[in-house]
């Protein structure tokens, strides 16, 4: 059950946030600024590349690595292949994962290792394999880890991410925050905001290589946009004017169909699907337009089909039948053009009586700013949904006086 009253009680919402999820999402802009400074200290701005790599290979654990790959692929705009190396292993634990280079990888290719931990033996083994193949290797990982030590031996480059903000806020003198003993000490992958600390150094590197337009000035605007989203979606802003809280209420009890248009929006939709599953324990399906119209069309008429009648945001949900219904969420990185599938998508949703939400960045946004607005708003929506959900392991218990 979603406690909507908690969303408009900032002090109670803060007490429920025993894992620091809201602070983590709000510090995304600070992560970017810290990443700019640390990348400069690591020597990114002094690199003198002799050419562009043939391909980018990306490896690392967790959903953040997948989103990094997606976004780099969108921002490079097809100028070179950007390939995620999928891990194998008997378990999902970092020490059990293994990665393998494709057979064609060699001296012309750049391997990017992305991990907030740096202790995964599989990444160290991959680094050794890449060194023998002649690949250039860059890792975003904390200093002083086994992976960093191995990079030093193979002349790879280490770019440290910004420190993670997550910690438990319970203490003996604050017994109102009993934690689920089965819950991990931090959200999967580090939680909202951590993604930007991993992505920022790679954006600076790609700018230096001439693959993207993501230099320090571009990333400063990205950080400013993340701060703007944090101001609009923060706990003190009431639900009716807060995009993050509004989306949390709209998505509660629904099966979101995340329909995206454009590469950046597609990366945001897949990130959103991953964070809803990992943080909220809720499924969401992502698909790009126009393929989504056929790929998800049957969901508008099947067991999750919308109920009859129009959806009313201000209705009393206490009397609602507890049935999961689909909700279409349209994500765009720019206003729809002449060949946009947005209008057919709206028409399909309306024809079946499906609830519809739309998310689009401010007019005139560049690709980086669009990514910031779409991903950060999604992160805040997931955090608010998590904290107001009485069944969530990531929120405190009995937080109301």
């Amino acid at each position: 059950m979603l406690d909507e009253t908690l969303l408009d009680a900032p002090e109670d919402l803060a007490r429920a946030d025993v894992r620091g999820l809201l602070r983590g999402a709000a510090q995304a802009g600070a992560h970017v600024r810290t990443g700019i400074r640390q990348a400069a200290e690591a020597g990114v701005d002094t690199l003198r590349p002799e050419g562009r790599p043939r391909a980018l290979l990306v490896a690392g654990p967790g959903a953040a690595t997948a989103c990094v790959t997606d976004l780099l692929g969108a921002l490079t705009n097809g100028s070179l292949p950007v390939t995620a190396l999928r891990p194998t292993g008997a378990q999902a634990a970092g020490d059990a994962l293994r990665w393998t280079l494709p057979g064609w990888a060699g001296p012309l290719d750049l391997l990017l290792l992305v991990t907030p931990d740096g202790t995964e033996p599989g990444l160290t083994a991959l680094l050794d394999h890449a060194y023998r193949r002649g690949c250039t290797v860059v890792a975003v990982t904390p200093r002083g880890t086994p992976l960093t030590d191995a990079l030093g031996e193979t002349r790879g480059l280490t770019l440290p991410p910004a420190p993670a903000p997550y910690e438990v806020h319970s203490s003996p003198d604050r017994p109102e925050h009993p934690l689920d003993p089965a819950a991990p000490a931090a959200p999967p992958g580090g939680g909202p905001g951590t993604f930007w600390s991993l992505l920022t150094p790679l954006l600076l590197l790609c700018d230096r290589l001439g693959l993207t337009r993501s230099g320090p000035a571009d990333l400063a605007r990205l950080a400013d946009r993340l701060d703007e989203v944090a101001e609009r979606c923060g706990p003190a802003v009431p639900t009716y004017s807060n995009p993050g809280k509004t989306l949390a209420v709209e998505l509660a009890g629904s099966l979101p169909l995340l329909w995206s248009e454009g590469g950046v929006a597609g990366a945001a939709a897949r990130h959103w699907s991953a964070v809803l599953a990992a943080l909220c324990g809720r499924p969401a399906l992502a698909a790009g337009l126009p393929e989504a119209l056929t790929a998800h069309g049957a969901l508008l008429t099947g067991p999750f089909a919308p109920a009859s009648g129009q959806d009313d945001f201000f209705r009393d949900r206490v009397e609602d039948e507890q049935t999961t219904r689909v909700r279409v969420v349209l994500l765009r990185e720019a206003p729809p053009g002449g060949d946009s599938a947005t209008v057919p998508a709206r028409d399909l949703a309306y024809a079946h009586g499906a609830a519809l939400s739309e998310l689009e960045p401010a007019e005139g946004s560049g690709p980086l700013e669009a990514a910031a607005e779409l991903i950060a708003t999604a992160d805040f929506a997931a955090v608010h949904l998590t904290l107001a959900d009485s069944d969530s392991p990531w929120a405190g218990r009995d937080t109301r006086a």
Side-chain angles (χ1 to χ4, degrees):
M1 289 291 294
L2 187 75
D3 183 0
E4 294 183 36
T5 62
L6 184 65
L7 293 177
D8 284 324
E11 293 183 359
D12 292 334
L13 193 62
R15 282 196 292 269
D17 189 14
V18 296
R19 305 289 184 179
L21 300 177
L22 283 169
R23 187 174 72 254
Q27 289 182 346
H31 281 322
V32 172
R33 295 185 183 92
T34 301
I36 295 172
R37 185 183 68 253
Q38 292 186 338
E41 293 171 353
V44 169
D45 55 350
T46 63
L47 292 177
R48 298 290 183 268
E50 297 179 355
R52 294 155 57 99
R54 177 179 59 180
L56 294 181
L57 305 171
V58 188
T65 302
C67 190
V68 166
T69 307
D70 274 349
L71 207 49
L72 288 179
L75 294 173
T76 53
N77 199 28
S79 61
L80 80 170
V82 181
T83 304
L85 302 183
R86 304 298 180 186
T88 59
Q91 300 179 22
D95 58 357
L97 297 177
R98 297 294 182 270
W99 290 263
T100 304
L101 286 174
W104 49 262
L108 299 178
D109 305 308
L110 174 59
L111 173 63
L112 305 176
L113 306 180
V114 183
T115 169
D117 188 21
T119 61
E120 300 87 350
L123 289 181
T124 303
L126 178 64
L127 169 63
D128 181 65
H129 190 194
Y131 176 71
R132 287 185 276 110
R133 290 274 198 95
C135 299
T136 301
V137 182
V138 176
V140 179
T141 189
R143 298 187 188 279
T145 63
L147 183 57
T148 301
D149 295 340
L151 277 163
E153 296 174 0
T154 58
R155 297 184 180 180
L157 176 63
T158 298
L159 300 175
Y166 298 95
E167 59 181 319
V168 177
H169 293 286
S170 60
S171 62
D173 60 334
R174 298 180 67 189
E176 70 273 19
H177 296 312
L179 300 177
D180 183 349
T194 303
F195 163 75
W196 297 105
S197 70
L198 298 173
L199 178 67
T200 298
L202 297 180
L203 289 176
L204 291 167
L205 175 67
C206 287
D207 178 78
R208 202 69 185 169
L209 293 172
L211 303 177
T212 60
R213 296 185 60 182
S214 51
D218 303 287
L219 293 187
R221 289 191 292 271
L222 166 67
D224 290 341
R225 181 62 61 89
L226 290 170
D227 288 345
E228 292 170 8
V229 174
E231 291 177 3
R232 293 197 301 267
C233 297
V237 181
T239 299
Y240 66 84
S241 59
N242 186 318
K245 291 181 180 179
T246 299
L247 282 167
V249 173
E250 291 175 346
L251 295 181
S254 72
L255 173 62
L257 304 181
L258 307 172
W259 294 355
S260 59
E261 192 162 55
V264 169
R270 289 184 287 274
H271 168 81
W272 200 346
S273 176
V275 76
L276 283 173
L279 197 60
C280 309
R282 296 171 179 264
L285 302 177
L289 290 172
E291 292 89 347
L293 302 179
T294 53
H296 291 171
L299 292 169
L300 300 174
T301 58
F304 301 101
S308 60
Q310 295 295 316
D311 182 72
D312 180 7
F313 177 80
F314 296 102
R315 72 183 185 276
D316 185 357
R317 288 173 171 78
V318 174
E319 302 298 329
D320 281 1
E321 180 185 357
Q322 296 301 307
T323 303
T324 301
R325 306 292 186 185
V326 294
R327 171 177 280 273
V328 174
V329 182
L330 293 180
L331 293 95
R332 295 185 301 274
E333 60 196 67
D339 60 347
S340 171
T342 294
V343 173
R346 288 180 185 141
D347 290 343
L348 182 64
Y350 292 148
H352 291 87
L356 177 68
S357 303
E358 299 192 40
L359 192 58
E360 179 183 306
E363 186 176 356
S365 299
L368 282 176
E369 293 166 304
E373 191 156 345
L374 294 176
I375 292 175
T377 303
D379 283 346
F380 271 102
V383 169
H384 287 304
L385 183 57
T386 298
L387 297 180
D389 185 350
S390 59
D391 294 326
S392 171
W394 302 108
R397 298 289 184 266
D398 301 321
T399 59
R400 306 305 300 274

